[in-house]
Amino acid sequence: FVGAPFGAAPKYAVCQGSVCTKHGSALVLEAAEGLACSTEGVDVVGKSCLGACRGGRLEGGIATFVSSTRSSVILERCDEPCAALTQARTAIVRDVGVAPAELFGAALE
């Protein structure tokens, strides 16, 4: 069985390990949590380390993981809150499958 249990929101995990944190993962996590705080479409969590930096797979980015598709996604390095918000929004819409209108509506509440 792949995916979240029936009725459960998919988890979107953002790595908070030392390598990803140097590349701005805390900003991306904060932005993603803010976007998802009032929508039931996704549960955003920080993980201590997703292990993407092992074997040179990370290459200066930020590791994320989507539970519903069991896929790892590497985001670009992020140094500004505005860029973090853009990356988090794009990732939640594209990778998790939350409708943009749902995120926008949640932001207005």
Side-chain angles (χ1 to χ4, degrees), residues 11-18 20-21 25 29 33 43-51 63-65 67:
K11 287 196 182 338
Y12 181 68
V14 180
C15 184
Q16 296 299 291
S18 62
C20 288
T21 301
S25 66
L29 176 62
E33 287 173 335
D43 182 19
V44 176
V45 296
K47 290 292 184 182
S48 59
C49 185
L50 293 173
T64 64
F65 180 79
S67 68

Side-chain angles (χ1 to χ4, degrees), residues 23-62:
H23 298 146
S25 66
L27 290 172
V28 172
L29 176 62
E30 183 178 349
E33 287 173 335
L35 286 169
C37 70
S38 58
T39 180
E40 295 177 8
V42 62
D43 182 19
V44 176
V45 296
K47 290 292 184 182
S48 59
C49 185
L50 293 173
C53 52
R54 285 183 231 134
R57 295 182 298 156
L58 194 57
E59 298 180 22
I62 299 164

